[in-house]
Amino acid sequence: MDMINIAWYQLHLVKAEEARACIPKELRLVEAFGYTLGGFFLANYEDSPAGVFDELVVIAGLVWNRPTSCAWATKVYVNSDEACDHGRKEVGLPSLVTRFSKRTTTISKQPKGRVYGFYNMIGMDAIFNNPRDHLDVQLTEINCPDPADAFSFIISILITEPALSFDHWMGPAIKMSLPSFSGRTQYNPNLLKYACQIECRVRAMQPLKVSRAILTSNGDSEQHLEDQKDGTHNFSTCVMLSKHMLALKFSQMKMQVEAPIVLSQFRNS
C-alpha cells in the first residue's frame, strides 16, 4: 500500500475537442457544452513500491465506463527513475522523469477597514494578519529536445491557513475507489483498466495557483506567465492553464493500486 504524505486534486474545465485528440478512439469522452472535466493530481509519496517520490498526474478528461466514468491521464511526471519505469511497465502510464523543486515563502498582509479595526479592538486581529506560508512547487521536464516546448510550471499552494479558520478542519475520513484507463503507450500498447482504493481525509481548499515557467536563453533565470497559450504548448500545458473548478486537499492518505487488467475487446494484436 502506498503511503502519501499529502496530495492535492484540482479539477479543470478542458475543451473536449482538445481532450479527444489525446484519448484512444475506442473510448467515449464524457462532455457537456464542449468541455470535459480534467485537471491534475499532485502528491508526495512517503512509501511505495518505487520508494519516495513526487508525482504530478495531468488528467485529460473523463471517459465513459458505464454506469460511471474513468479518468484518462495524458502525462504523469515523477522525480524518480524507478517510479517512472514502474508506471510505464506495470500500470501502462505515460510517465516522464521531471525535476521537482520546492520553496516555502511567507506572506504577511494586514487588511484595512472598519471590520479589521473592530477585530483589533477585541483582540481578534490574528484572524487577518497572521502570516501565511505558500509552498511553490516547480516542475521542469528533463531531456526535452526543444526547451521552448518543455513542460515547466510553478504550482503555488497555501499551506498555512488564517488563525481560527474553519479551514483548519482536516475534513471527513472517507474511502473511495477511483477507476482509470491506461495503456496505449510504446511501453504497454494494450488498453488497460485499473482502480485506486483510497482512504484519506478530504476537504475543499483555495485553488492552487498555476503559472508557466519559461526558461530564458541562458537557461538560468525564469519568468512566470499566467494564462498564456500559443501553438507551441503541448496538451498538458493547455490542461494546466485551463479554468479551474474545484481544489481538494487529501491528508492521512493511503492508496492501494490494483493490478491493471487488459481489456480484451480492445486488445492490440
mmCIF file of all heavy atoms in Angstrom, residues 207-258:
data_model
loop_
_atom_site.group_PDB
_atom_site.id
_atom_site.type_symbol
_atom_site.label_atom_id
_atom_site.label_comp_id
_atom_site.label_asym_id
_atom_site.label_seq_id
_atom_site.Cartn_x
_atom_site.Cartn_y
_atom_site.Cartn_z
ATOM 1 N N PRO A 207 -8.107 27.399 -4.501
ATOM 2 C CA PRO A 207 -7.492 26.834 -5.710
ATOM 3 C C PRO A 207 -5.983 27.017 -5.713
ATOM 4 O O PRO A 207 -5.459 28.019 -5.212
ATOM 5 C CB PRO A 207 -8.147 27.638 -6.843
ATOM 6 C CG PRO A 207 -9.429 28.144 -6.257
ATOM 7 C CD PRO A 207 -9.145 28.391 -4.805
ATOM 8 N N LEU A 208 -5.288 26.035 -6.257
ATOM 9 C CA LEU A 208 -3.846 26.131 -6.423
ATOM 10 C C LEU A 208 -3.555 27.060 -7.604
ATOM 11 O O LEU A 208 -4.190 26.948 -8.656
ATOM 12 C CB LEU A 208 -3.233 24.753 -6.675
ATOM 13 C CG LEU A 208 -3.059 23.824 -5.465
ATOM 14 C CD1 LEU A 208 -4.380 23.473 -4.816
ATOM 15 C CD2 LEU A 208 -2.329 22.560 -5.881
ATOM 16 N N LYS A 209 -2.615 27.951 -7.412
ATOM 17 C CA LYS A 209 -2.264 28.899 -8.467
ATOM 18 C C LYS A 209 -1.228 28.264 -9.392
ATOM 19 O O LYS A 209 -0.186 27.792 -8.937
ATOM 20 C CB LYS A 209 -1.707 30.187 -7.852
ATOM 21 C CG LYS A 209 -1.343 31.264 -8.860
ATOM 22 C CD LYS A 209 -0.808 32.493 -8.147
ATOM 23 C CE LYS A 209 -0.404 33.579 -9.144
ATOM 24 N NZ LYS A 209 0.166 34.755 -8.446
ATOM 25 N N VAL A 210 -1.520 28.256 -10.676
ATOM 26 C CA VAL A 210 -0.640 27.621 -11.658
ATOM 27 C C VAL A 210 -0.109 28.673 -12.621
ATOM 28 O O VAL A 210 -0.862 29.471 -13.172
ATOM 29 C CB VAL A 210 -1.397 26.533 -12.453
ATOM 30 C CG1 VAL A 210 -0.482 25.901 -13.493
ATOM 31 C CG2 VAL A 210 -1.960 25.483 -11.515
ATOM 32 N N SER A 211 1.191 28.677 -12.821
ATOM 33 C CA SER A 211 1.800 29.583 -13.793
ATOM 34 C C SER A 211 2.903 28.852 -14.526
ATOM 35 O O SER A 211 3.538 27.944 -13.973
ATOM 36 C CB SER A 211 2.361 30.848 -13.113
ATOM 37 O OG SER A 211 3.286 30.511 -12.104
ATOM 38 N N ARG A 212 3.114 29.232 -15.768
ATOM 39 C CA ARG A 212 4.145 28.576 -16.569
ATOM 40 C C ARG A 212 5.477 29.260 -16.327
ATOM 41 O O ARG A 212 5.567 30.487 -16.277
ATOM 42 C CB ARG A 212 3.799 28.608 -18.051
ATOM 43 C CG ARG A 212 4.700 27.676 -18.854
ATOM 44 C CD ARG A 212 4.311 27.592 -20.309
ATOM 45 N NE ARG A 212 5.141 26.576 -20.969
ATOM 46 C CZ ARG A 212 5.582 26.670 -22.200
ATOM 47 N NH1 ARG A 212 5.292 27.723 -22.921
ATOM 48 N NH2 ARG A 212 6.316 25.704 -22.724
ATOM 49 N N ALA A 213 6.528 28.474 -16.178
ATOM 50 C CA ALA A 213 7.883 28.997 -16.006
ATOM 51 C C ALA A 213 8.620 28.832 -17.328
ATOM 52 O O ALA A 213 8.795 27.722 -17.817
ATOM 53 C CB ALA A 213 8.614 28.243 -14.900
ATOM 54 N N ILE A 214 9.047 29.949 -17.917
ATOM 55 C CA ILE A 214 9.744 29.932 -19.196
ATOM 56 C C ILE A 214 11.230 30.115 -18.950
ATOM 57 O O ILE A 214 11.656 31.116 -18.377
ATOM 58 C CB ILE A 214 9.241 31.063 -20.117
ATOM 59 C CG1 ILE A 214 7.719 31.049 -20.203
ATOM 60 C CG2 ILE A 214 9.868 30.939 -21.498
ATOM 61 C CD1 ILE A 214 7.154 29.891 -20.960
ATOM 62 N N LEU A 215 12.021 29.150 -19.379
ATOM 63 C CA LEU A 215 13.474 29.285 -19.250
ATOM 64 C C LEU A 215 13.984 30.270 -20.293
ATOM 65 O O LEU A 215 13.605 30.220 -21.459
ATOM 66 C CB LEU A 215 14.151 27.925 -19.443
ATOM 67 C CG LEU A 215 13.844 26.858 -18.398
ATOM 68 C CD1 LEU A 215 14.574 25.576 -18.745
ATOM 69 C CD2 LEU A 215 14.244 27.321 -17.016
ATOM 70 N N THR A 216 14.858 31.170 -19.879
ATOM 71 C CA THR A 216 15.459 32.118 -20.811
ATOM 72 C C THR A 216 16.553 31.425 -21.613
ATOM 73 O O THR A 216 16.910 30.280 -21.366
ATOM 74 C CB THR A 216 16.050 33.320 -20.058
ATOM 75 O OG1 THR A 216 17.023 32.843 -19.128
ATOM 76 C CG2 THR A 216 14.958 34.059 -19.308
ATOM 77 N N SER A 217 17.110 32.129 -22.576
ATOM 78 C CA SER A 217 18.073 31.530 -23.496
ATOM 79 C C SER A 217 19.313 30.990 -22.786
ATOM 80 O O SER A 217 19.915 30.018 -23.226
ATOM 81 C CB SER A 217 18.488 32.557 -24.554
ATOM 82 O OG SER A 217 19.020 33.714 -23.936
ATOM 83 N N ASN A 218 19.698 31.623 -21.656
ATOM 84 C CA ASN A 218 20.880 31.124 -20.950
ATOM 85 C C ASN A 218 20.561 29.976 -20.004
ATOM 86 O O ASN A 218 21.447 29.370 -19.418
ATOM 87 C CB ASN A 218 21.567 32.253 -20.170
ATOM 88 C CG ASN A 218 20.663 32.889 -19.130
ATOM 89 O OD1 ASN A 218 19.654 32.307 -18.739
ATOM 90 N ND2 ASN A 218 21.016 34.085 -18.695
ATOM 91 N N GLY A 219 19.244 29.668 -19.864
ATOM 92 C CA GLY A 219 18.844 28.520 -19.059
ATOM 93 C C GLY A 219 18.919 28.736 -17.564
ATOM 94 O O GLY A 219 18.668 27.830 -16.784
ATOM 95 N N ASP A 220 19.252 29.965 -17.111
ATOM 96 C CA ASP A 220 19.442 30.209 -15.685
ATOM 97 C C ASP A 220 18.228 30.853 -15.020
ATOM 98 O O ASP A 220 17.813 30.457 -13.952
ATOM 99 C CB ASP A 220 20.670 31.096 -15.461
ATOM 100 C CG ASP A 220 21.953 30.398 -15.883
ATOM 101 O OD1 ASP A 220 21.993 29.159 -15.770
ATOM 102 O OD2 ASP A 220 22.873 31.082 -16.332
ATOM 103 N N SER A 221 17.692 31.880 -15.623
ATOM 104 C CA SER A 221 16.600 32.622 -14.997
ATOM 105 C C SER A 221 15.270 32.224 -15.617
ATOM 106 O O SER A 221 15.203 31.588 -16.662
ATOM 107 C CB SER A 221 16.817 34.131 -15.155
ATOM 108 O OG SER A 221 16.894 34.480 -16.524
ATOM 109 N N GLU A 222 14.202 32.638 -14.924
ATOM 110 C CA GLU A 222 12.870 32.267 -15.361
ATOM 111 C C GLU A 222 11.952 33.461 -15.249
ATOM 112 O O GLU A 222 12.202 34.384 -14.492
ATOM 113 C CB GLU A 222 12.316 31.129 -14.502
ATOM 114 C CG GLU A 222 13.134 29.867 -14.583
ATOM 115 C CD GLU A 222 12.961 29.015 -13.347
ATOM 116 O OE1 GLU A 222 12.320 29.505 -12.409
ATOM 117 O OE2 GLU A 222 13.472 27.893 -13.338
ATOM 118 N N GLN A 223 10.886 33.427 -16.011
ATOM 119 C CA GLN A 223 9.821 34.400 -15.842
ATOM 120 C C GLN A 223 8.523 33.621 -15.736
ATOM 121 O O GLN A 223 8.394 32.532 -16.298
ATOM 122 C CB GLN A 223 9.761 35.388 -17.006
ATOM 123 C CG GLN A 223 9.664 34.732 -18.373
ATOM 124 C CD GLN A 223 9.688 35.749 -19.483
ATOM 125 O OE1 GLN A 223 9.421 36.920 -19.244
ATOM 126 N NE2 GLN A 223 9.984 35.324 -20.675
ATOM 127 N N HIS A 224 7.566 34.168 -15.009
ATOM 128 C CA HIS A 224 6.337 33.446 -14.730
ATOM 129 C C HIS A 224 5.199 34.092 -15.495
ATOM 130 O O HIS A 224 4.880 35.261 -15.279
ATOM 131 C CB HIS A 224 6.036 33.456 -13.229
ATOM 132 C CG HIS A 224 7.218 33.007 -12.421
ATOM 133 N ND1 HIS A 224 7.690 31.719 -12.472
ATOM 134 C CD2 HIS A 224 8.035 33.688 -11.578
ATOM 135 C CE1 HIS A 224 8.735 31.610 -11.673
ATOM 136 N NE2 HIS A 224 8.969 32.791 -11.135
ATOM 137 N N LEU A 225 4.579 33.339 -16.378
ATOM 138 C CA LEU A 225 3.500 33.844 -17.201
ATOM 139 C C LEU A 225 2.240 33.054 -16.894
ATOM 140 O O LEU A 225 2.257 31.827 -16.877
ATOM 141 C CB LEU A 225 3.835 33.701 -18.689
ATOM 142 C CG LEU A 225 5.163 34.332 -19.133
ATOM 143 C CD1 LEU A 225 5.388 34.051 -20.604
ATOM 144 C CD2 LEU A 225 5.168 35.820 -18.872
ATOM 145 N N GLU A 226 1.128 33.733 -16.675
ATOM 146 C CA GLU A 226 -0.126 33.072 -16.357
ATOM 147 C C GLU A 226 -1.092 33.187 -17.523
ATOM 148 O O GLU A 226 -1.159 34.209 -18.197
ATOM 149 C CB GLU A 226 -0.770 33.694 -15.112
ATOM 150 C CG GLU A 226 0.074 33.527 -13.860
ATOM 151 C CD GLU A 226 -0.616 34.113 -12.657
ATOM 152 O OE1 GLU A 226 -1.860 34.024 -12.602
ATOM 153 O OE2 GLU A 226 0.055 34.667 -11.788
ATOM 154 N N ASP A 227 -1.850 32.130 -17.725
ATOM 155 C CA ASP A 227 -2.925 32.119 -18.718
ATOM 156 C C ASP A 227 -2.429 32.515 -20.098
ATOM 157 O O ASP A 227 -3.130 33.185 -20.849
ATOM 158 C CB ASP A 227 -4.062 33.070 -18.295
ATOM 159 C CG ASP A 227 -4.626 32.680 -16.958
ATOM 160 O OD1 ASP A 227 -4.686 31.478 -16.683
ATOM 161 O OD2 ASP A 227 -4.987 33.573 -16.185
ATOM 162 N N GLN A 228 -1.236 32.109 -20.457
ATOM 163 C CA GLN A 228 -0.707 32.404 -21.764
ATOM 164 C C GLN A 228 -0.637 31.119 -22.565
ATOM 165 O O GLN A 228 -0.062 30.137 -22.140
ATOM 166 C CB GLN A 228 0.690 33.025 -21.673
ATOM 167 C CG GLN A 228 1.287 33.360 -23.040
ATOM 168 C CD GLN A 228 2.621 34.049 -22.905
ATOM 169 O OE1 GLN A 228 3.034 34.422 -21.816
ATOM 170 N NE2 GLN A 228 3.297 34.210 -24.011
ATOM 171 N N LYS A 229 -1.243 31.120 -23.736
ATOM 172 C CA LYS A 229 -1.271 29.921 -24.556
ATOM 173 C C LYS A 229 -0.862 30.283 -25.979
ATOM 174 O O LYS A 229 -1.170 31.348 -26.489
ATOM 175 C CB LYS A 229 -2.677 29.302 -24.580
ATOM 176 C CG LYS A 229 -3.209 28.940 -23.197
ATOM 177 C CD LYS A 229 -4.606 28.403 -23.282
ATOM 178 C CE LYS A 229 -5.172 28.104 -21.905
ATOM 179 N NZ LYS A 229 -6.556 27.618 -21.962
ATOM 180 N N ASP A 230 -0.154 29.381 -26.634
ATOM 181 C CA ASP A 230 0.155 29.552 -28.045
ATOM 182 C C ASP A 230 0.324 28.179 -28.654
ATOM 183 O O ASP A 230 0.194 27.159 -28.000
ATOM 184 C CB ASP A 230 1.399 30.425 -28.254
ATOM 185 C CG ASP A 230 2.635 29.857 -27.572
ATOM 186 O OD1 ASP A 230 2.848 28.636 -27.671
ATOM 187 O OD2 ASP A 230 3.373 30.638 -26.958
ATOM 188 N N GLY A 231 0.613 28.146 -29.959
ATOM 189 C CA GLY A 231 0.659 26.891 -30.673
ATOM 190 C C GLY A 231 1.766 25.958 -30.240
ATOM 191 O O GLY A 231 1.733 24.773 -30.551
ATOM 192 N N THR A 232 2.779 26.457 -29.538
ATOM 193 C CA THR A 232 3.893 25.603 -29.145
ATOM 194 C C THR A 232 3.594 24.812 -27.873
ATOM 195 O O THR A 232 4.321 23.898 -27.537
ATOM 196 C CB THR A 232 5.162 26.435 -28.914
ATOM 197 O OG1 THR A 232 4.955 27.298 -27.799
ATOM 198 C CG2 THR A 232 5.501 27.273 -30.141
ATOM 199 N N HIS A 233 2.549 25.165 -27.158
ATOM 200 C CA HIS A 233 2.249 24.494 -25.897
ATOM 201 C C HIS A 233 1.637 23.130 -26.171
ATOM 202 O O HIS A 233 0.726 22.988 -26.973
ATOM 203 C CB HIS A 233 1.274 25.327 -25.066
ATOM 204 C CG HIS A 233 1.899 26.561 -24.497
ATOM 205 N ND1 HIS A 233 1.285 27.305 -23.521
ATOM 206 C CD2 HIS A 233 3.062 27.185 -24.759
ATOM 207 C CE1 HIS A 233 2.054 28.341 -23.210
ATOM 208 N NE2 HIS A 233 3.134 28.271 -23.955
ATOM 209 N N ASN A 234 2.103 22.110 -25.472
ATOM 210 C CA ASN A 234 1.516 20.795 -25.640
ATOM 211 C C ASN A 234 0.218 20.703 -24.845
ATOM 212 O O ASN A 234 -0.181 21.635 -24.140
ATOM 213 C CB ASN A 234 2.508 19.703 -25.225
ATOM 214 C CG ASN A 234 2.982 19.873 -23.795
ATOM 215 O OD1 ASN A 234 2.244 20.369 -22.942
ATOM 216 N ND2 ASN A 234 4.199 19.460 -23.525
ATOM 217 N N PHE A 235 -0.458 19.550 -24.960
ATOM 218 C CA PHE A 235 -1.777 19.434 -24.342
ATOM 219 C C PHE A 235 -1.716 19.507 -22.826
ATOM 220 O O PHE A 235 -2.619 20.061 -22.189
ATOM 221 C CB PHE A 235 -2.440 18.132 -24.787
ATOM 222 C CG PHE A 235 -3.792 17.929 -24.182
ATOM 223 C CD1 PHE A 235 -4.847 18.777 -24.483
ATOM 224 C CD2 PHE A 235 -4.014 16.894 -23.294
ATOM 225 C CE1 PHE A 235 -6.095 18.605 -23.916
ATOM 226 C CE2 PHE A 235 -5.258 16.710 -22.711
ATOM 227 C CZ PHE A 235 -6.299 17.565 -23.032
ATOM 228 N N SER A 236 -0.660 18.954 -22.221
ATOM 229 C CA SER A 236 -0.529 19.035 -20.760
ATOM 230 C C SER A 236 -0.512 20.484 -20.304
ATOM 231 O O SER A 236 -1.095 20.844 -19.281
ATOM 232 C CB SER A 236 0.757 18.330 -20.302
ATOM 233 O OG SER A 236 0.667 16.940 -20.520
ATOM 234 N N THR A 237 0.159 21.328 -21.073
ATOM 235 C CA THR A 237 0.197 22.754 -20.755
ATOM 236 C C THR A 237 -1.196 23.364 -20.833
ATOM 237 O O THR A 237 -1.592 24.154 -19.969
ATOM 238 C CB THR A 237 1.153 23.486 -21.716
ATOM 239 O OG1 THR A 237 2.466 22.950 -21.566
ATOM 240 C CG2 THR A 237 1.182 24.979 -21.440
ATOM 241 N N CYS A 238 -1.954 22.980 -21.865
ATOM 242 C CA CYS A 238 -3.319 23.501 -22.004
ATOM 243 C C CYS A 238 -4.184 23.115 -20.811
ATOM 244 O O CYS A 238 -4.978 23.919 -20.319
ATOM 245 C CB CYS A 238 -3.943 22.975 -23.298
ATOM 246 S SG CYS A 238 -3.192 23.611 -24.793
ATOM 247 N N VAL A 239 -4.031 21.888 -20.328
ATOM 248 C CA VAL A 239 -4.814 21.440 -19.165
ATOM 249 C C VAL A 239 -4.438 22.259 -17.938
ATOM 250 O O VAL A 239 -5.309 22.733 -17.199
ATOM 251 C CB VAL A 239 -4.589 19.940 -18.901
ATOM 252 C CG1 VAL A 239 -5.255 19.524 -17.589
ATOM 253 C CG2 VAL A 239 -5.134 19.105 -20.045
ATOM 254 N N MET A 240 -3.141 22.424 -17.697
ATOM 255 C CA MET A 240 -2.690 23.137 -16.506
ATOM 256 C C MET A 240 -3.165 24.584 -16.488
ATOM 257 O O MET A 240 -3.424 25.152 -15.424
ATOM 258 C CB MET A 240 -1.169 23.083 -16.410
ATOM 259 C CG MET A 240 -0.593 21.693 -16.234
ATOM 260 S SD MET A 240 -1.097 20.880 -14.700
ATOM 261 C CE MET A 240 -0.248 21.882 -13.475
ATOM 262 N N LEU A 241 -3.286 25.204 -17.666
ATOM 263 C CA LEU A 241 -3.672 26.607 -17.738
ATOM 264 C C LEU A 241 -5.165 26.807 -17.971
ATOM 265 O O LEU A 241 -5.618 27.933 -18.113
ATOM 266 C CB LEU A 241 -2.892 27.312 -18.858
ATOM 267 C CG LEU A 241 -1.382 27.413 -18.654
ATOM 268 C CD1 LEU A 241 -0.725 28.102 -19.842
ATOM 269 C CD2 LEU A 241 -1.050 28.156 -17.360
ATOM 270 N N SER A 242 -5.928 25.716 -18.004
ATOM 271 C CA SER A 242 -7.367 25.838 -18.227
ATOM 272 C C SER A 242 -8.074 26.307 -16.950
ATOM 273 O O SER A 242 -7.481 26.420 -15.883
ATOM 274 C CB SER A 242 -7.943 24.502 -18.713
ATOM 275 O OG SER A 242 -7.705 23.476 -17.762
ATOM 276 N N LYS A 243 -9.371 26.564 -17.067
ATOM 277 C CA LYS A 243 -10.157 27.125 -15.979
ATOM 278 C C LYS A 243 -10.351 26.115 -14.854
ATOM 279 O O LYS A 243 -10.867 25.020 -15.064
ATOM 280 C CB LYS A 243 -11.530 27.555 -16.518
ATOM 281 C CG LYS A 243 -12.500 28.061 -15.463
ATOM 282 C CD LYS A 243 -12.044 29.374 -14.850
ATOM 283 C CE LYS A 243 -13.096 29.908 -13.892
ATOM 284 N NZ LYS A 243 -12.659 31.172 -13.240
ATOM 285 N N HIS A 244 -9.927 26.493 -13.635
ATOM 286 C CA HIS A 244 -10.106 25.589 -12.501
ATOM 287 C C HIS A 244 -11.536 25.663 -11.975
ATOM 288 O O HIS A 244 -12.206 26.698 -12.055
ATOM 289 C CB HIS A 244 -9.120 25.908 -11.374
ATOM 290 C CG HIS A 244 -9.281 27.272 -10.773
ATOM 291 N ND1 HIS A 244 -10.302 27.585 -9.901
ATOM 292 C CD2 HIS A 244 -8.562 28.413 -10.927
ATOM 293 C CE1 HIS A 244 -10.204 28.850 -9.536
ATOM 294 N NE2 HIS A 244 -9.151 29.376 -10.134
ATOM 295 N N MET A 245 -12.003 24.532 -11.430
ATOM 296 C CA MET A 245 -13.361 24.442 -10.908
ATOM 297 C C MET A 245 -13.398 24.172 -9.408
ATOM 298 O O MET A 245 -14.195 24.749 -8.685
ATOM 299 C CB MET A 245 -14.126 23.337 -11.646
ATOM 300 C CG MET A 245 -14.316 23.592 -13.122
ATOM 301 S SD MET A 245 -15.337 25.049 -13.429
ATOM 302 C CE MET A 245 -16.915 24.470 -12.803
ATOM 303 N N LEU A 246 -12.538 23.266 -8.948
ATOM 304 C CA LEU A 246 -12.578 22.851 -7.545
ATOM 305 C C LEU A 246 -11.216 22.305 -7.152
ATOM 306 O O LEU A 246 -10.585 21.581 -7.923
ATOM 307 C CB LEU A 246 -13.646 21.769 -7.337
ATOM 308 C CG LEU A 246 -13.741 21.122 -5.953
ATOM 309 C CD1 LEU A 246 -14.225 22.139 -4.925
ATOM 310 C CD2 LEU A 246 -14.673 19.904 -5.984
ATOM 311 N N ALA A 247 -10.757 22.657 -5.946
ATOM 312 C CA ALA A 247 -9.498 22.132 -5.420
ATOM 313 C C ALA A 247 -9.784 21.364 -4.137
ATOM 314 O O ALA A 247 -10.508 21.831 -3.256
ATOM 315 C CB ALA A 247 -8.513 23.266 -5.146
ATOM 316 N N LEU A 248 -9.203 20.163 -4.041
ATOM 317 C CA LEU A 248 -9.376 19.307 -2.874
ATOM 318 C C LEU A 248 -8.018 18.981 -2.278
ATOM 319 O O LEU A 248 -7.040 18.777 -3.007
ATOM 320 C CB LEU A 248 -10.085 18.005 -3.258
ATOM 321 C CG LEU A 248 -11.496 18.135 -3.834
ATOM 322 C CD1 LEU A 248 -11.988 16.780 -4.309
ATOM 323 C CD2 LEU A 248 -12.452 18.719 -2.809
ATOM 324 N N LYS A 249 -7.974 18.908 -0.960
ATOM 325 C CA LYS A 249 -6.751 18.531 -0.253
ATOM 326 C C LYS A 249 -6.971 17.179 0.414
ATOM 327 O O LYS A 249 -7.962 16.974 1.111
ATOM 328 C CB LYS A 249 -6.396 19.579 0.805
ATOM 329 C CG LYS A 249 -5.136 19.245 1.598
ATOM 330 C CD LYS A 249 -4.846 20.334 2.625
ATOM 331 C CE LYS A 249 -3.603 20.020 3.443
ATOM 332 N NZ LYS A 249 -3.316 21.082 4.437
ATOM 333 N N PHE A 250 -6.037 16.249 0.187
ATOM 334 C CA PHE A 250 -6.087 14.929 0.802
ATOM 335 C C PHE A 250 -4.977 14.822 1.842
ATOM 336 O O PHE A 250 -3.829 15.147 1.555
ATOM 337 C CB PHE A 250 -5.897 13.824 -0.235
ATOM 338 C CG PHE A 250 -6.950 13.807 -1.309
ATOM 339 C CD1 PHE A 250 -6.744 14.439 -2.521
ATOM 340 C CD2 PHE A 250 -8.150 13.145 -1.104
ATOM 341 C CE1 PHE A 250 -7.707 14.419 -3.508
ATOM 342 C CE2 PHE A 250 -9.123 13.121 -2.089
ATOM 343 C CZ PHE A 250 -8.900 13.762 -3.293
ATOM 344 N N SER A 251 -5.308 14.355 3.015
ATOM 345 C CA SER A 251 -4.303 14.141 4.062
ATOM 346 C C SER A 251 -4.527 12.771 4.698
ATOM 347 O O SER A 251 -5.576 12.151 4.523
ATOM 348 C CB SER A 251 -4.364 15.247 5.113
ATOM 349 O OG SER A 251 -5.670 15.355 5.661
ATOM 350 N N GLN A 252 -3.499 12.303 5.438
ATOM 351 C CA GLN A 252 -3.547 10.969 6.059
ATOM 352 C C GLN A 252 -4.010 9.934 5.033
ATOM 353 O O GLN A 252 -4.894 9.121 5.292
ATOM 354 C CB GLN A 252 -4.473 10.977 7.270
ATOM 355 C CG GLN A 252 -4.032 11.942 8.371
ATOM 356 C CD GLN A 252 -4.966 11.920 9.566
ATOM 357 O OE1 GLN A 252 -5.939 11.171 9.613
ATOM 358 N NE2 GLN A 252 -4.663 12.745 10.555
ATOM 359 N N MET A 253 -3.382 9.965 3.884
ATOM 360 C CA MET A 253 -3.868 9.208 2.732
ATOM 361 C C MET A 253 -3.120 7.890 2.547
ATOM 362 O O MET A 253 -1.898 7.847 2.623
ATOM 363 C CB MET A 253 -3.721 10.063 1.469
ATOM 364 C CG MET A 253 -4.300 9.454 0.215
ATOM 365 S SD MET A 253 -4.273 10.671 -1.124
ATOM 366 C CE MET A 253 -4.918 9.694 -2.473
ATOM 367 N N LYS A 254 -3.881 6.829 2.329
ATOM 368 C CA LYS A 254 -3.345 5.523 1.968
ATOM 369 C C LYS A 254 -3.985 5.117 0.642
ATOM 370 O O LYS A 254 -5.190 5.290 0.453
ATOM 371 C CB LYS A 254 -3.654 4.482 3.045
ATOM 372 C CG LYS A 254 -3.062 4.790 4.409
ATOM 373 C CD LYS A 254 -3.455 3.728 5.420
ATOM 374 C CE LYS A 254 -2.912 4.039 6.798
ATOM 375 N NZ LYS A 254 -3.322 3.017 7.799
ATOM 376 N N MET A 255 -3.181 4.585 -0.256
ATOM 377 C CA MET A 255 -3.707 4.223 -1.575
ATOM 378 C C MET A 255 -3.175 2.864 -2.014
ATOM 379 O O MET A 255 -1.972 2.620 -1.945
ATOM 380 C CB MET A 255 -3.330 5.288 -2.613
ATOM 381 C CG MET A 255 -3.863 4.987 -4.005
ATOM 382 S SD MET A 255 -3.664 6.381 -5.140
ATOM 383 C CE MET A 255 -1.867 6.449 -5.278
ATOM 384 N N GLN A 256 -4.081 2.007 -2.456
ATOM 385 C CA GLN A 256 -3.725 0.697 -2.993
ATOM 386 C C GLN A 256 -4.069 0.692 -4.478
ATOM 387 O O GLN A 256 -5.228 0.852 -4.857
ATOM 388 C CB GLN A 256 -4.498 -0.406 -2.276
ATOM 389 C CG GLN A 256 -4.196 -1.796 -2.795
ATOM 390 C CD GLN A 256 -2.803 -2.270 -2.395
ATOM 391 O OE1 GLN A 256 -2.432 -2.156 -1.228
ATOM 392 N NE2 GLN A 256 -2.057 -2.791 -3.341
ATOM 393 N N VAL A 257 -3.054 0.530 -5.325
ATOM 394 C CA VAL A 257 -3.274 0.483 -6.770
ATOM 395 C C VAL A 257 -3.415 -0.973 -7.195
ATOM 396 O O VAL A 257 -2.485 -1.767 -7.039
ATOM 397 C CB VAL A 257 -2.120 1.153 -7.536
ATOM 398 C CG1 VAL A 257 -2.377 1.101 -9.042
ATOM 399 C CG2 VAL A 257 -1.949 2.601 -7.087
ATOM 400 N N GLU A 258 -4.584 -1.314 -7.714
ATOM 401 C CA GLU A 258 -4.824 -2.681 -8.142
ATOM 402 C C GLU A 258 -4.074 -2.970 -9.442
ATOM 403 O O GLU A 258 -3.831 -2.074 -10.251
ATOM 404 C CB GLU A 258 -6.322 -2.911 -8.335
ATOM 405 C CG GLU A 258 -7.125 -2.747 -7.054
ATOM 406 C CD GLU A 258 -8.613 -2.947 -7.277
ATOM 407 O OE1 GLU A 258 -9.031 -3.031 -8.461
ATOM 408 O OE2 GLU A 258 -9.358 -3.013 -6.282
#
